[in-house]
């Protein structure tokens, strides 16, 4: 059985992950409309990943004999000034998610909830990787600059990341 404080915090995290999934889906759709195919593919995949993070929480809470609450959707922003702004927003969102996971860890430590600490370690590692990836993208965007063909080159860079992700997923599947 979960401690009440831990239960509440985990349920709130379901909402945070659901919001991330909706935000990235809205970004994918905006990129599609702007003709940024590589970025669109990146955000569709990110949105799916966030949904998977949300589902992991739902399953964990229920496995612990509590009731996972599915939240209502917060309407995401649907328009963005530029792709540079999109990735800045992503970075802020990922930092917010990291903070939120760390807060739950603190609550778990207070409550001596070793099972949830173990469960959340996956999220801690995932957040470290996601923040690093967005920082890398922001660095590339800065290097490419905002000249005439910058959108083309930014999209190409994101396509490279998509290819790496697909290859990593194929490797994981083969190893399973
Ligand atoms: Fe849920 O992984 Fe980042 O946000």
């Amino acid at each position: 059985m979960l401690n009440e404080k831990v239960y509440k915090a985990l349920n709130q995290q379901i909402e945070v992950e659901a919001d991330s999934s909706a935000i990235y889906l809205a970004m994918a759709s905006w990129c599609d409309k702007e003709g940024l195919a590589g970025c669109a593919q990146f955000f569709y995949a990110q949105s799916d990943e966030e949904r998977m993070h949300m589902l992991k929480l739902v399953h964990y809470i229920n496995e612990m004999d509590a009731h996972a609450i599915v939240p209502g959707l917060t309407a995401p922003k649907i328009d963005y000034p530029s792709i540079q702004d999109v990735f800045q927003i992503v970075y802020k969102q990922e930092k917010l998610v990291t903070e939120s996971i760390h807060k739950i860890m603190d609550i778990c430590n207070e409550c001596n909830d070793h099972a949830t600490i173990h469960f959340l370690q996956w999220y801690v590692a995932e957040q470290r990787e996601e923040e690093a990836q967005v920082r890398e993208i922001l660095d590339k965007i800065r290097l490419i600059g905002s000249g005439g063909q910058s959108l083309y080159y930014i999209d190409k860079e994101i396509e490279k990341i998509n290819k790496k992700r697909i290859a990593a997923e194929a490797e994981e599947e083969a190893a399973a």
Side-chain angles (χ1 to χ4, degrees), residues 124-140:
V124 173
E126 180 73 10
Q127 280 312 117
R128 196 191 58 231
E129 277 173 26
E130 286 192 344
E131 278 196 28
Q133 184 181 54
V134 188
R135 266 199 307 275
E136 202 185 311
I137 293 173
L138 285 171
D139 283 345
K140 289 217 169 104

Side-chain angles (χ1 to χ4, degrees), residues 17 20 24 50 53 94 97 126-127 130:
E17 303 291 347
S20 296
Y24 297 157
E50 297 300 344
H53 299 172
E94 289 304 328
V97 175
E126 180 73 10
Q127 280 312 117
E130 286 192 344

Side-chain angles (χ1 to χ4, degrees), residues 137-153:
I137 293 173
L138 285 171
D139 283 345
K140 289 217 169 104
I141 287 178
R142 217 169 294 130
L143 288 175
I144 292 169
S146 52
Q149 300 198 320
S150 59
L151 287 181
Y152 174 81
Y153 289 113

Side-chain angles (χ1 to χ4, degrees), residues 31 45 70 82 91 112 121 154 165:
C31 290
V70 177
S82 68
Y91 191 45
N112 280 324
Q121 262 149 7
I154 290 171
R165 186 206 296 255

Side-chain angles (χ1 to χ4, degrees), residues 10-75:
L10 288 175
N11 260 322
Q12 271 163 12
Q13 190 62 27
I14 291 181
E15 201 168 337
V16 172
E17 303 291 347
D19 277 347
S20 296
S21 179
I23 290 169
Y24 297 157
L25 185 57
M27 287 173 171
S29 177
W30 181 82
C31 290
D32 242 351
K33 169 182 78 83
E34 295 293 312
L36 296 161
C39 294
Q41 191 189 351
F42 175 84
F43 283 116
Y44 282 125
Q46 275 311 113
S47 174
D48 281 349
E49 259 201 38
E50 297 300 344
R51 180 177 151 74
M52 180 270 277
H53 299 172
M54 178 193 73
L55 277 177
K56 265 173 101 85
L57 283 155
V58 169
H59 292 314
Y60 179 74
I61 295 172
N62 288 337
E63 194 184 295
M64 295 301 276
D65 204 17
H67 183 193
I69 307 298
V70 177
L73 268 189
T74 311

